[in-house]
Amino acid sequence: MKRALLVSLAVLVGLMMMGTGPAPVQAKTTFVTIGTGGITGVYYPTGGAIAKIVNKKRKEYGIRATVESTGGSVFNVNAIMSGDLEFGVVQSDRQYQAVHGMAEWQDKGPQKDLRAVFSIHPESVTLVATVDSGIKTVADLKGKRVNIGNPGSGQRQNSIDALTAAGIDIDKDLTAEGVKASEAPGLLQDGRLDAFFYTVGHPSGAFKEATAGATKVRFIPVAGAGIDKLITEKPYYAKSRIVSSLYPGSDNKEEFIDTFGVKATFCTSVNVPDEVVYAIAKEVFDNLDDFKKLHPSFADLSKEGMLEGLSAPLHPGAEKYYKETGLLK
Ligand code: GLU
């Protein structure tokens, strides 16, 4: 909790002068940082939305939330665990894997101190390719240059799962790149990538950028028998679809692009004080209508739905609020 315990004492100097005023007034501020993702994703504005709602009540709670752009879900879990971040947005599948000591946590083991606060918007495993590449299915990625996601991102494992389900070996069958999602649209437009994966809510700045340039691009369905099997095998994956009208610059004529997806979730550590987590859960839930206006991908959020898709134990501060309001029995 390096940063959480960085408690600043804001001393009101005016009141201290010459001992003539009342006793010094000290306001304690608790600074918390929310780890997000790249600035063209949805985590970054999501962290901003949470911070905005909570900071409105700064006088009441003494909490000052700030947002940090990061490499994504895996980075966020690890930074929460090391105490470098108090909160982070994390894909529901990555939360599950961290709690169970799978994927990037296989060697480190279960991340026992990870705590869930609530879930947020749905995220789709999204694949986009240049029209010139001729790619129309995941199987067509063979022999192509494809960004599967930077280490630290949530999407990297989703890309590997989708490719493996389609019988593609990332080490042999294609050139797998590991650049940040914020850089991928520019590389696609410049012809230095044929396609890229990004697991993200929609609409996102990244896909607006990818579909708005001179190079024609289209969304590719991540579907088929292999993917159907993957969804039945993995408890954290579900079918999902992208509304193509969100990106008028894309070459897609169909209304929806089929794929699979997860949920964005809000996580913290067992070491973050109950009253801080309570305040954040309360402010987001009590002001959910205002919160939902802060990003179009929040449109379908409901209080009940925001308690689904969590695999880490609920943080006691959040649990207290959900019990008080009858959301939890
Ligand atoms: N799902 C991505 C990740 O976990 C981030 C998406 C976003 O920033 O909106 O790395």
Side-chain angles (χ1 to χ4, degrees):
M1 303 318 320
K2 286 168 206 158
R3 246 188 266 252
L5 298 183
L6 256 189
V7 165
S8 104
L9 299 177
V11 180
L12 301 181
V13 176
L15 294 173
M16 296 176 65
M17 288 177 74
M18 309 301 288
T20 52
V25 176
Q26 296 181 333
K28 195 180 98 173
T29 302
T30 303
F31 289 95
V32 296
T33 306
I34 303 170
T36 61
I39 57 165
T40 55
V42 179
Y43 287 7
Y44 190 70
T46 296
I50 295 169
K52 184 176 174 181
I53 294 264
V54 175
N55 289 341
K56 268 191 192 157
K57 297 281 181 70
R58 184 175 177 174
K59 286 210 181 87
E60 191 177 325
Y61 298 117
I63 298 171
R64 172 95 176 111
T66 51
V67 168
E68 201 170 289
S69 170
T70 74
S73 287
V74 173
F75 178 94
N76 294 342
V77 168
N78 293 337
I80 292 169
M81 293 298 85
S82 67
D84 287 337
L85 290 173
E86 285 70 45
F87 293 94
V89 190
V90 175
Q91 286 180 201
S92 51
D93 53 327
R94 303 313 227 144
Q95 188 187 132
Y96 181 97
Q97 291 162 350
V99 167
H100 292 93
M102 294 158 63
E104 277 88 339
W105 298 278
Q106 196 157 359
D107 295 339
K108 293 185 209 163
Q111 303 299 293
K112 294 202 179 75
D113 288 349
L114 190 66
R115 291 293 175 270
V117 186
F118 48 74
S119 69
I120 329 171
H121 57 279
E123 299 188 270
S124 293
V125 178
T126 309
L127 174 63
V128 74
T130 61
V131 170
D132 280 351
S133 69
I135 297 164
K136 290 203 169 129
T137 66
V138 177
D140 296 337
L141 293 172
K142 270 194 182 159
K144 305 291 186 189
R145 187 172 289 268
V146 183
N147 190 42
I148 63 168
N150 57 293
S153 71
Q155 62 266 13
R156 194 171 167 95
Q157 188 63 47
N158 307 137
S159 316
I160 295 170
D161 287 347
L163 289 163
T164 308
I168 296 179
D169 182 331
I170 61 156
D171 297 319
K172 289 190 207 133
D173 299 333
L174 47 70
T175 308
E177 300 289 353
V179 303
K180 288 197 246 166
S182 57
E183 288 164 20
L187 296 173
L188 189 76
Q189 280 294 325
D190 289 351
R192 284 186 282 163
L193 279 177
D194 296 310
F196 74 84
F197 283 96
Y198 190 20
T199 304
V200 70
H202 292 286
S204 75
F207 286 110
K208 283 188 181 160
E209 187 186 339
T211 55
T215 305
K216 281 259 157 234
V217 307
R218 66 175 158 233
F219 292 99
I220 309 299
V222 186
I227 301 294
D228 288 346
K229 188 162 170 270
L230 175 69
I231 294 169
T232 48
E233 281 169 5
K234 308 282 185 195
Y236 39 74
Y237 286 151
K239 285 200 176 197
S240 155
R241 53 191 198 174
I242 301 152
V243 179
S244 44
S245 61
L246 291 173
Y247 303 100
S250 90
D251 204 53
N252 299 78
K253 302 286 174 281
E254 66 274 41
E255 200 179 344
F256 301 108
I257 297 112
D258 289 321
T259 181
F260 66 101
V262 294
K263 261 183 160 195
T265 70
F266 196 55
C267 293
T268 188
S269 154
V270 72
N271 298 319
V272 172
D274 288 5
E275 57 275 18
V276 173
V277 183
Y278 175 88
I280 294 183
K282 178 173 169 56
E283 288 312 310
V284 170
F285 277 65
D286 281 359
N287 299 291
L288 191 58
D289 289 336
D290 291 334
F291 181 78
K292 282 165 72 170
K293 289 184 195 129
L294 298 176
H295 196 278
S297 73
F298 300 161
D300 295 330
L301 295 187
S302 70
K303 289 184 183 176
E304 295 74 21
M306 289 170 77
L307 297 190
E308 289 164 8
L310 307 172
S311 29
L314 273 180
H315 189 287
E319 195 172 17
K320 177 173 177 243
Y321 172 76
Y322 302 142
K323 286 201 165 145
E324 252 174 37
T325 50
L327 278 166
L328 263 189
K329 295 282 166 293

